[in-house]
């Protein structure tokens, strides 16, 4: 089965209100407000988007999903009633029609809390680098390092520099 998304989690804006979208990411947080009402934060490599649960059917789907599980959300974008100016996507939220679990995380089995990975043991962070890179701060550092190395390579190649890699 081919999974696809129409937008990433950092891309939707107020101008997208009314659009049907599919977003895919890691379930970062769920705040249950009532029996059939909750706010979920979905995160991917590009940012976060708030998903609002407003009915019993969707609540039954989201409640058993552990944090950091990978899910797909199909729904409609709408303007948020209480905007968050600190987030690029803080003016919108997605109301889901369908939620699908793509990869279930055994949350208690994670070697460290993703948002607090900097406090974890360095050996665990290196061993589970793929989890450490889910932390937005770590990702930002890795992206900056990549951009710096790319710029250095570009400048060195302009000077006829030859890069040689060895297997060891």
């Amino acid at each position: 089965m081919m999974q696809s998304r129409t937008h990433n989690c950092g891309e939707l804006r107020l101008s997208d209100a009314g659009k049907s979208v599919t977003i895919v990411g890691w379930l970062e947080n769920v705040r249950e407000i009532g029996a059939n009402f909750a706010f979920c934060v979905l995160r991917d490599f590009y940012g976060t988007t708030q998903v609002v649960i407003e009915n019993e059917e969707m609540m039954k789907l989201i409640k058993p999903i552990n944090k950091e599980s990978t899910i797909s959300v199909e729904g409609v974008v709408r303007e948020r009633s209480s905007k968050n100016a600190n987030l690029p996507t803080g003016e919108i939220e997605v109301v889901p029609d369908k939620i699908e679990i793509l990869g279930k995380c055994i949350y208690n089995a994670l070697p460290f809390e993703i948002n607090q990975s900097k406090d974890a043991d360095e050996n665990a962070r290196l061993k589970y680098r793929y989890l450490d890179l889910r932390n937005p701060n770590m990702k930002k550092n890795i992206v900056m390092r990549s951009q710096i190395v790319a710029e250095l390579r570009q400048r060195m190649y302009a000077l006829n520099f030859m890069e040689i890699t060895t297997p060891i």
Side-chain angles (χ1 to χ4, degrees):
M1 180 167 92
M2 175 76 170
Q3 292 295 327
S4 62
R5 61 181 175 194
T6 59
H7 298 80
N8 63 53
C9 290
E11 181 177 8
L12 296 170
R13 298 292 185 269
L14 192 54
S15 60
D16 296 307
K19 287 184 183 176
S20 292
V21 299
T22 301
I23 54 177
V24 178
W26 303 294
L27 184 62
E28 183 174 285
N29 192 23
V30 177
R31 290 177 315 199
E32 290 184 41
I33 307 301
N36 296 323
F37 192 70
F39 294 107
C40 307
V41 177
L42 194 62
R43 182 186 76 247
D44 67 8
F45 187 78
Y46 306 98
T48 60
T49 297
Q50 180 170 280
V51 177
V52 62
I53 307 296
E54 298 178 318
N55 61 49
E56 185 178 356
E57 177 189 356
M58 289 297 132
M59 190 61 115
K60 283 181 184 176
L61 286 172
I62 204 74
K63 204 167 190 165
I65 302 175
N66 292 330
K67 286 170 62 172
E68 296 304 322
S69 292
T70 306
I71 64 172
S72 172
V73 175
E74 292 179 28
V76 177
V77 180
R78 75 174 183 200
E79 185 175 0
R80 283 172 67 163
S81 57
S82 59
K83 296 175 179 46
N84 184 345
N86 297 326
L87 295 174
T89 58
E91 294 184 312
I92 58 96
E93 58 194 7
V94 175
V95 181
D97 299 320
K98 180 182 176 186
I99 296 175
E100 183 179 357
I101 301 172
L102 304 176
K104 190 163 177 75
C105 175
I106 304 171
Y107 182 72
N108 295 332
L110 286 177
F112 49 81
E113 178 81 29
I114 299 299
N115 287 331
Q116 289 146 9
S117 66
K118 67 179 176 125
D119 299 330
D121 176 59
E122 187 174 358
N123 288 329
R125 289 178 64 195
L126 291 171
K127 182 177 180 182
Y128 300 101
R129 187 54 126 190
Y130 57 92
L131 291 175
D132 197 20
L133 290 175
R134 289 185 182 186
N135 182 318
N137 291 327
M138 265 313 289
K139 183 205 80 163
K140 184 177 80 173
N141 292 342
I142 294 297
V143 168
M144 183 172 59
R145 179 181 185 268
S146 174
Q147 291 168 340
I148 290 169
V149 168
E151 181 67 25
L152 286 172
R153 281 191 174 122
Q154 184 180 12
R155 289 174 184 229
M156 295 301 283
Y157 292 152
L159 300 171
N160 292 323
F161 174 78
M162 183 188 318
E163 181 175 2
I164 299 172
T165 58
T166 60
I168 297 178

